[in-house]
């Protein structure tokens, strides 16, 4: 094997390793975001359950529903990013 082809192979392995590292960091980040969203939902449910006033419960429920919709949009965005990563890795 010539020096040039060995150098090209090493570079392509480095690029592949960098792509895998990028994808793994993205997956870890998405996992952390999902854990944060889950903790936020749990917190809201506990706050709603501990609320004693019916008016307060209605307000909390509306706020909770709005936040759940925002979190759903964020999760949809993250899924789209994961699909982009998958396409990028398949190239």
């Amino acid at each position: 094997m010539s020096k040039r082809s060995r150098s090209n192979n090493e570079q392509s392995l480095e690029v592949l390793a960098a792509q895998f590292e990028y994808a793994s960091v993205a997956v870890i980040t998405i996992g952390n975001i999902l854990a944060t969203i889950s903790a936020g939902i749990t917190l809201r449910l506990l706050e709603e359950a501990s609320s004693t006033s019916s008016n307060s419960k209605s307000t909390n429920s509306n706020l909770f529903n709005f936040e759940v919709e925002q979190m759903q949009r964020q999760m949809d965005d993250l899924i789209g990013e994961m699909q982009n990563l998958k396409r990028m890795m398949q190239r």
Side-chain angles (χ1 to χ4, degrees):
M1 181 181 287
S2 71
K3 285 185 179 183
R4 175 175 244 157
S5 65
R6 186 178 308 142
S7 176
N8 287 340
N9 284 341
E10 288 174 6
Q11 286 179 348
S12 63
L13 286 176
E14 289 173 357
V15 169
L16 183 61
Q19 288 175 336
F20 281 129
E21 182 179 3
Y22 177 75
S24 66
V25 168
V27 169
I28 289 168
T29 301
I30 290 170
N32 289 337
I33 291 169
L34 292 176
T36 303
I37 291 170
S38 176
I41 290 171
T42 302
L43 178 61
R44 286 293 175 194
L45 288 173
L46 290 172
E47 287 174 344
E48 189 174 309
S50 68
S51 178
T52 56
S53 162
S54 64
N55 187 21
S56 173
K57 282 185 180 180
S58 175
T59 302
N60 284 343
S61 179
N62 290 339
L63 180 60
F64 176 76
N65 289 336
F66 176 74
E67 289 177 350
V68 167
E69 289 172 9
Q70 282 185 318
M71 287 184 229
Q72 181 63 50
R73 283 192 294 275
Q74 290 173 344
M75 288 178 19
D76 291 341
D77 291 343
L78 291 172
I79 290 169
E81 287 297 318
M82 287 297 295
Q83 290 170 341
N84 288 339
L85 281 172
K86 182 180 177 182
R87 276 186 241 123
M88 184 184 83
M89 294 298 292
Q90 290 175 345
R91 290 182 193 171

